[in-house]
Amino acid sequence: MADFITRFAPSPTGPLHLGHAYSAMLCHDMARTAGGQFLLRMEDTDLQRSKPEWDALIRKDLAWLGLYWDGPVLRQSAQLTSYDGYLTQLAALDLLYPCSCSRADIRAALSAPQEGQPHDVYPGTCKSRAMSDRNKGDALRLHLDRALALLADDLPRFQETGKTHKGAHNIDPEQAAQQIGDVVLSRKGEDIIAYFLASAIDDATQGITHVIRGEDLFDFTAIQVILLTLLNLPVPTYHHHRLIRDENGKRLAKRDDARAISTYRDEGKTPDQIRQMVGL
Ligand code: GLU
């Protein structure tokens, strides 16, 4: 087994743009420099927005950029039973509760100002509900206080090698309660499983030793490390890289079709020019 295994994990919901290309090239380069492996994972749990056409275009773009992945591609839509197994483990630890709050309910509960509680943390309306009360259509939330109490003797930690947050990070329970709260792990309907749970589980499934991804995902790391530790799965090293921004300083998004790799290819640009454009 290689000492350095990393992955590129796009969601096939649109074309790859310059920001994705930078992430994929950096991941690939770091894996090759380390004599390790570069894996590909399609994060297609959003069944409504994920399309086989985007999956095919992403593979074509990566090949055109000269990025070849090792081994088979893991598709998350083929892993749904495995996620259920992990949710069952968390339920057996009494760490989940059903939640019927709509987005509007959550907003209304939050609109009464609560001291020290940042805006996007779930106010806990359904917190006292038991799993046996779960109705069809309820989401499942992590009971963070109980999760942290369970880990209190050996609080999770992780290493970050990216420039902005470089160093060892210890999970601070108070900060986690204020910044993360009781996140939704599973939702009936379009998003069956929360992205950050599926992604963390698959990092373990694929034996990822180094997660290399954009700085916009740094804030998910603490919750992913908590979940991995609860599930007795290995915690990788993280490397969050700079984001490629447009001329107004905004992070590129899927809708930025003008910067789609396929558009540059059609215009006659070369992979080397793409590397230069993103500063590699
Ligand atoms: N699928 C996520 C995205 O396309 C990336 C997840 C990750 O790298 O952890 O933004």
Side-chain angles (χ1 to χ4, degrees):
M1 186 108 144
D3 291 339
F4 191 107
I5 305 176
T6 188
R7 72 343 184 241
F8 178 55
S11 307
T13 54
L16 288 192
H17 58 55
L18 276 183
H20 300 114
Y22 172 67
S23 196
M25 290 189 289
L26 184 69
C27 249
H28 179 268
D29 292 359
M30 284 173 73
R32 297 295 172 240
T33 306
Q37 290 182 5
F38 170 73
L39 307 186
L40 180 60
R41 175 163 84 229
M42 288 294 169
E43 301 213 317
D44 59 349
T45 49
D46 182 339
L47 303 174
Q48 310 273 307
R49 290 171 59 227
S50 298
K51 299 269 180 287
E53 306 85 276
W54 296 126
D55 182 313
L57 183 63
I58 289 172
R59 293 173 197 232
K60 186 175 167 186
D61 287 348
L62 291 175
W64 178 72
L65 288 168
L67 309 181
Y68 289 92
W69 52 93
D70 299 296
V73 177
L74 184 142
R75 282 179 48 242
Q76 291 193 320
S77 56
Q79 299 286 105
L80 301 180
T81 334
S82 136
Y83 305 138
D84 268 348
Y86 286 107
L87 284 170
T88 307
Q89 279 188 43
L90 292 173
L93 293 168
D94 199 18
L95 298 180
L96 301 184
Y97 63 87
C99 173
S100 55
C101 296
S102 64
R103 278 174 208 274
D105 289 340
I106 296 172
R107 259 199 311 275
L110 284 170
S111 64
Q114 304 208 17
E115 217 178 316
Q117 201 172 55
H119 218 63
D120 52 352
V121 169
Y122 179 60
T125 319
C126 290
K127 206 173 180 108
S128 58
R129 287 181 59 198
M131 281 299 274
S132 50
D133 286 349
R134 189 179 188 193
N135 296 316
K136 223 170 160 248
D138 280 348
L140 291 179
R141 285 187 185 272
L142 177 71
H143 198 300
L144 187 68
D145 308 338
R146 278 193 220 138
L148 291 169
L150 199 66
L151 301 173
D153 290 339
D154 191 13
L155 283 168
R157 62 191 74 83
F158 65 95
Q159 286 293 330
E160 164 72 30
T161 59
K163 205 162 147 201
T164 314
H165 304 279
K166 200 180 188 107
H169 293 257
N170 297 307
I171 306 292
D172 169 350
E174 252 172 59
Q175 205 181 8
Q178 276 180 16
Q179 291 176 357
I180 303 172
D182 292 355
V183 287
V184 169
L185 297 187
S186 159
R187 190 189 293 281
K188 289 282 168 219
E190 317 138 38
D191 310 301
I192 300 154
I193 180 137
Y195 134 75
F196 53 83
L197 177 58
S199 197
I201 291 172
D202 288 334
D203 286 334
T205 308
Q206 292 189 289
I208 301 302
T209 60
H210 291 76
V211 167
I212 300 163
R213 60 184 182 187
E215 231 160 53
D216 52 333
L217 297 173
F218 179 79
D219 287 347
F220 285 116
T221 312
I223 185 67
Q224 290 188 315
V225 169
I226 291 172
L227 291 167
L228 287 170
T229 311
L230 289 168
L231 293 166
N232 277 319
L233 295 172
V235 173
T237 296
Y238 292 86
H239 182 102
H240 291 86
H241 59 70
R242 67 183 165 88
L243 300 177
I244 304 297
R245 299 182 182 278
D246 67 14
E247 50 289 344
N248 302 317
K250 259 188 66 218
R251 178 173 76 90
L252 296 186
K254 285 266 157 61
R255 59 188 173 280
D256 290 306
D257 279 6
R259 292 175 184 78
I261 297 307
S262 46
T263 310
Y264 288 118
R265 181 169 60 240
D266 294 347
E267 285 169 7
K269 290 263 187 308
T270 65
D272 274 348
Q273 284 172 315
I274 303 285
R275 279 191 174 266
Q276 276 165 23
M277 285 162 78
V278 296
L280 275 173

